């Protein structure tokens, strides 16, 4: 038997029964990719949710900033929903007009000076943008495009709030 014939026999033998194994392997890989994407979505959504909480704290402390910040806060809430895993999509409630001026848990203390509070919020937008950009490295293409858009929006918000500082 020649080497080419033996190779053909081995190839033929190794191919039998491997279709089911290959399908199981592909299914396992798809499931692992779906779990990884869901985890990434949960992390990036939580990052955006923390930003919304920061907005709520600033708006509670400085209600006169509402006309300026409410549209940006609403966009950040939309980012949270867009990034959430499919099983966790729930609309973010609007901030209460009578909210307490105390900062919610997990949010940095809001400065009593409105200009300083705006600087803090702009910094939070930049940090959120950076986090979304860092997540691009492991995101599948569709989620990567969404993350890039959200990061650009956050960077734009930071500019609008803080004047590009």
């Amino acid at each position: 038997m020649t080497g080419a014939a033996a190779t053909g026999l081995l190839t033929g033998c190794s191919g039998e029964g491997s279709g089911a194994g290959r399908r199981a392997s592909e299914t396992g890989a798809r499931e692992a990719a779906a779990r990884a994407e869901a985890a990434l979505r949960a992390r990036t959504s939580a990052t955006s949710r923390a930003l919304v909480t920061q907005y709520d704290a600033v708006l509670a402390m400085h209600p006169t900033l509402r006309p300026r910040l409410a549209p940006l806060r609403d966009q950040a809430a939309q980012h949270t929903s867009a990034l959430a895993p499919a099983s966790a999509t729930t609309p973010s409630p609007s901030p209460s007009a009578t909210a307490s001026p105390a900062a919610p848990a997990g949010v940095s203390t809001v400065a009593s000076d409105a200009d300083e509070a705006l600087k803090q919020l702009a910094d939070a937008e930049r940090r959120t943008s950076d986090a979304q950009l860092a997540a691009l490295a492991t995101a599948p293409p569709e989620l990567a495009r969404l993350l890039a858009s959200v990061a650009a929006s956050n960077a734009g918000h930071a500019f609008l709030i803080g004047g590009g500082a």
Side-chain angles (χ1 to χ4, degrees):
M1 196 189 275
T2 65
T7 302
L9 285 174
L10 290 175
T11 303
C13 290
S14 67
E16 285 188 32
S18 67
R22 185 175 33 239
R23 281 189 297 275
S25 176
E26 289 171 357
T27 299
R30 279 192 300 273
E31 289 171 356
R35 283 191 304 272
E37 180 177 348
L40 183 60
R41 282 180 169 276
R43 282 192 310 275
T44 57
S45 179
T47 301
S48 288
R49 192 174 319 108
L51 180 62
V52 171
T53 302
Q54 185 74 30
Y55 269 101
D56 291 345
V58 170
L59 289 169
M61 180 68 86
H62 304 284
T64 59
L65 295 176
R66 185 167 305 283
R68 179 177 176 186
L69 297 180
L72 303 179
R73 185 257 180 226
D74 291 346
Q75 285 182 357
Q78 289 173 352
H79 297 161
T80 299
S81 296
L83 291 168
S87 62
T89 53
T90 56
S92 179
S94 294
S96 168
T98 60
S100 165
V107 174
S108 61
T109 304
V110 177
S112 59
D113 176 66
D115 288 337
E116 187 59 32
L118 287 172
K119 287 179 189 174
Q120 290 173 337
L121 190 55
D123 288 343
E125 282 277 13
R126 281 188 210 61
R127 285 191 305 274
T128 302
S129 177
D130 291 346
Q132 308 302 24
L133 286 174
L136 285 172
T138 58
E142 183 178 337
L143 180 56
R145 286 186 289 275
L146 177 60
L147 286 168
S149 177
V150 168
S153 178
N154 291 134
H157 292 176
F159 180 81
L160 291 171
I161 294 168

